[in-house]
Amino acid sequence: MRRNWIEAAAALLAAMGTVMALGGCATSKDELLPHGNHTMLDVWQQETGGSGSAGGGQAARQLLDARQGLRRPLTEADVQAALATNAAYTRTATNEIRQQFRRLPNPDLVMYVFPHLAGTDSVPVPGYSTVFPLHRSVQYAMPGERVEDY
């Protein structure tokens, strides 16, 4: 008896869900896109309250005010910043080589030479420090081999 009641309730819920799902699609195309001699621009302006040839409305005025706020003259600082930004993207021969073939680091080594006697006459040489590069020549990475800066 209890099982029959559960099955009946499940069937009723399934039927109600189907009816509700089908009811959600019950919009006619005539309601969405009315027939007549209206263009899509007319329908758009009517539905969104957009500015048409008849003056628009408050929404159109707010949009115009927002656009006017964005249309401000550039200051000298804005112009200089734009030039500096654009210069970083300009392709030059130097930029191409530096971007594709990056120099590998060639650290300087510091060596301390202790005081010593030099030559056949045993001339005393005081202690000193000297700096020299690790590699004799400049080493370059292949394109894409090294991407981090150093």
Side-chain angles (χ1 to χ4, degrees):
M1 175 74 176
R2 183 175 178 106
R3 183 175 176 166
N4 290 338
W5 182 80
I6 293 175
E7 288 176 0
L12 181 64
L13 285 174
M16 285 177 53
T18 304
V19 169
M20 291 178 76
L22 292 175
C25 299
T27 305
S28 68
K29 68 178 179 106
D30 295 332
E31 221 178 288
L32 289 175
L33 295 172
H35 291 289
N37 55 359
H38 298 290
T39 63
M40 281 304 293
L41 181 60
D42 294 336
V43 173
W44 170 262
Q45 289 173 349
Q46 177 185 355
E47 294 297 323
T48 60
S51 61
S53 58
Q58 185 176 1
R61 185 70 208 160
Q62 289 174 347
L63 180 62
L64 184 61
D65 290 343
R67 285 182 179 164
Q68 289 298 333
L70 294 174
R71 290 183 185 150
R72 58 177 172 72
L74 293 176
T75 63
E76 186 63 30
D78 293 336
V79 172
Q80 294 302 325
L83 290 176
T85 302
N86 291 341
Y89 292 106
T90 303
R91 291 179 65 174
T92 62
T94 305
N95 288 349
E96 289 295 312
I97 290 173
R98 286 186 181 156
Q99 289 298 321
Q100 290 184 0
F101 299 97
R102 296 239 175 154
R103 282 183 139 180
L104 292 174
N106 190 5
D108 289 333
L109 299 178
V110 178
M111 184 177 82
Y112 179 74
V113 179
F114 289 97
H116 60 281
L117 300 174
T120 56
D121 294 334
S122 297
V123 178
V125 178
Y128 61 94
S129 295
T130 183
V131 177
F132 58 93
L134 179 64
H135 303 288
R136 289 186 182 174
S137 62
V138 176
Q139 303 290 321
Y140 293 96
M142 294 298 291
E145 185 176 1
R146 182 182 171 102
V147 294
E148 68 271 0
D149 290 333
Y150 48 87

